Amino acid sequence: MQLMTSCAAGAALLLLLHCCQIASIVGHESALTVVKNPDGREGGGADEETEVAVDEEDLEVVQPTEDWQTLKPGQAVPAGSHVRLNLQTGQREVRIGKEQLKYWTQEHRETEEIQSTISPDDLKWAMKKMKEELNPVRKETDRQLTVQHIHDSVASKYRPLDELKRDLAQLDLLVETDVQIMKRLLDQFNSSNSTTEQRLSILLELEYLVHQVLFAVAALLRNFPYSQRHFLSHGGLQVLSELFKADGGGVLRTRIVTMLYDMISEKELISQAGLDLVLDASHEERVHQYSQVSLQGELLEKGWCSLVPQLLESTEHDYREKALRALLAMAPMCLDQYRLDSSLLGSLLSLRDQYQEMVQSEMIVGEENGYFAEIVELIHALQFKMK
């Protein structure tokens, strides 16, 4: 107990001596002064002494380092420096603050990085690039050279068609386009030396080639009234009627009838849309363009009112459906001819009975509004118009 009391008394005495020493230092006439850094920054650390305002004239400002150094009387330190009192020596000590150290280290590192990454060659290249960028004539010349280089590179990989034809001709190979092939086949077909078997073979080849060209014609005509007008003015429907008559299988007939139905329907839809909607400039222009397409008159003149019903003779349900839809679309212009066509009347009665039986079969399996019921509705609609 006595030992503990002695230790406590010694510690209290030591603390008292330290406090007296601090008081004597603070009260000294050369008190610690904090000045601004040369770059204008201010800062402080957790270990800084309390700032005391004194006259800063003729003060010696100490620049701190990373190591603790002793401060002499009358010396000042930059703001942000760390100052401590060494209790063993009674001297004030200072070192650079954390914020100052961070700033110095970062600035030093960035300077070193810049110096290490930029070489004299890099500077020369950058100056040369700047001069080139500021020269528009040089830039345009470089662009033209680049384009020419690309063109020459592409051209070197491909050969002109005429050159290929010459080379193939030397190899006894003949390159023909589809149009050239069709012309050649037609010449062979019309030749008096052709046998029946040869003509049948020619027709099969022509069917395949024409089959591809109908797709192309349909793509050019749909929703393009300007193209439709030129197609009609150059006898396009006459050509289609000849192809329709020559087609025995029905595939080509169906595609032709479908294309005609689409052309009639889109013109009708454009006309009807203007009745309910506020017309804008583009819609008025489309209505004007379609008004110049005399499709109905051409269909009537070229005999399509009697050609389309022939497609009903097919055994394919899809072909019959396409024919019925086209007949309904053509009814406003062909109704008088429909009523005089006994073959059409007979076909409609026969088809109605046939498809009504199929509808009954659909209903048995639970399909009340099936595909065959739709065909029956088309037949009924056409018969109603013909009454």
Side-chain angles (χ1 to χ4, degrees):
M1 179 62 105
Q2 184 177 3
L3 179 60
M4 293 178 61
T5 304
S6 301
C7 291
L13 179 61
L14 182 61
L15 179 60
L16 179 61
L17 291 175
H18 287 167
C19 291
C20 294
Q21 191 174 18
I22 293 173
S24 64
I25 293 173
V26 173
H28 197 274
E29 60 180 359
S30 59
L32 176 65
T33 303
V34 180
V35 299
K36 291 185 178 180
N37 283 327
D39 57 1
R41 292 183 295 106
E42 293 185 357
D47 298 332
E48 289 181 358
E49 289 283 349
T50 305
E51 297 181 7
V52 180
V54 298
D55 188 5
E56 297 181 3
E57 296 182 359
D58 300 330
L59 290 178
E60 179 185 358
V61 180
V62 176
Q63 295 299 329
T65 63
E66 296 183 45
D67 300 325
W68 290 104
Q69 56 182 319
T70 303
L71 283 175
K72 298 178 181 179
Q75 289 183 332
V77 297
S81 304
H82 284 193
V83 179
R84 75 177 182 182
L85 179 62
N86 193 324
L87 298 179
Q88 294 180 356
T89 62
Q91 300 294 324
R92 294 170 300 163
E93 297 178 350
V94 64
R95 72 175 181 181
I96 193 168
K98 293 182 179 179
E99 295 298 327
Q100 292 175 313
L101 180 61
K102 178 180 178 182
Y103 176 81
W104 182 86
T105 304
Q106 181 178 3
E107 184 180 25
H108 182 68
R109 184 187 302 113
E110 291 177 353
T111 304
E112 287 186 348
E113 288 179 355
I114 294 175
Q115 293 176 351
S116 62
T117 55
I118 301 179
S119 63
D121 294 335
D122 293 335
L123 290 175
K124 291 181 181 178
W125 179 86
M127 294 297 295
K128 180 181 178 182
K129 191 68 176 178
M130 290 173 60
K131 291 181 180 179
E132 292 177 353
E133 292 293 332
L134 294 175
N135 190 346
V137 178
R138 177 63 180 274
K139 288 174 64 178
E140 179 63 20
T141 303
D142 292 342
R143 188 190 66 81
Q144 294 178 356
L145 290 175
T146 302
V147 173
Q148 184 64 35
H149 175 72
I150 295 174
H151 178 270
D152 295 341
S153 178
V154 174
S156 64
K157 298 180 180 178
Y158 302 96
R159 301 172 62 189
L161 182 60
D162 295 337
E163 182 180 342
L164 290 174
K165 287 183 177 181
R166 288 196 302 268
D167 294 344
L168 293 175
Q170 296 176 359
L171 299 174
D172 294 331
L173 295 177
L174 180 62
V175 179
E176 293 180 305
T177 63
D178 287 353
V179 176
Q180 292 174 335
I181 294 174
M182 285 190 285
K183 288 182 179 179
R184 176 173 56 80
L185 291 175
L186 287 174
D187 292 339
Q188 294 177 2
F189 182 85
N190 295 324
S191 175
S192 58
N193 297 327
S194 300
T195 62
T196 303
E197 294 181 356
Q198 290 175 339
R199 290 184 176 181
L200 289 175
S201 177
I202 291 172
L203 288 176
L204 289 176
E205 292 188 42
L206 285 173
E207 181 183 13
Y208 173 75
L209 294 171
V210 172
H211 159 80
Q212 299 181 86
V213 178
L214 282 174
F215 280 119
V217 171
L220 291 173
L221 295 181
R222 284 189 173 94
N223 299 307
F224 195 1
Y226 180 81
S227 178
Q228 293 177 14
R229 181 161 61 87
H230 282 269
F231 177 76
L232 296 175
S233 63
H234 287 79
L237 284 183
Q238 180 64 35
V239 175
L240 291 181
S241 64
E242 295 176 1
L243 293 174
F244 184 94
K245 295 173 184 177
D247 180 43
V251 177
L252 187 57
R253 286 187 173 188
T254 305
R255 289 178 177 159
I256 293 175
V257 170
T258 302
M259 185 181 69
L260 296 178
Y261 169 75
D262 291 341
M263 292 171 63
I264 297 171
S265 299
E266 69 185 45
K267 182 177 180 180
E268 185 66 22
L269 289 174
I270 289 292
S271 302
Q272 292 178 357
L275 300 177
D276 301 326
L277 302 177
V278 178
L279 300 181
D280 57 6
S282 62
H283 184 81
E284 290 180 356
E285 178 61 25
R286 288 178 63 82
V287 172
H288 173 69
Q289 292 182 10
Y290 274 104
S291 66
Q292 297 179 340
V293 180
S294 58
L295 180 60
Q296 289 80 357
E298 288 288 329
L299 289 172
L300 185 62
E301 181 182 348
K302 297 301 188 293
W304 285 97
C305 296
S306 59
L307 288 176
V308 177
Q310 297 178 19
L311 192 57
L312 294 175
E313 300 174 1
S314 174
T315 58
E316 297 290 335
H317 303 302
D318 181 61
Y319 297 175
R320 294 173 179 175
E321 177 201 350
K322 298 292 194 302
L324 289 170
R325 294 187 183 279
L327 289 171
L328 282 170
M330 295 166 55
M333 70 194 82
C334 298
L335 195 55
D336 293 337
Q337 295 192 33
Y338 288 171
R339 291 168 179 168
L340 298 176
D341 192 344
S342 58
S343 145
L344 175 59
L345 295 173
S347 296
L348 292 177
L349 291 173
S350 175
L351 291 175
R352 184 191 62 183
D353 296 338
Q354 177 182 351
Y355 281 104
Q356 282 180 342
E357 293 180 0
M358 295 179 180
V359 170
Q360 295 298 325
S361 301
E362 285 182 333
M363 294 179 64
I364 293 175
V365 297
E367 297 182 8
E368 297 182 359
N369 298 318
Y371 177 67
F372 298 136
E374 185 178 353
I375 294 180
V376 171
E377 290 179 0
L378 294 174
I379 296 173
H380 285 163
L382 186 57
Q383 287 178 329
F384 180 79
K385 287 182 177 293
M386 293 172 59
K387 288 183 179 180

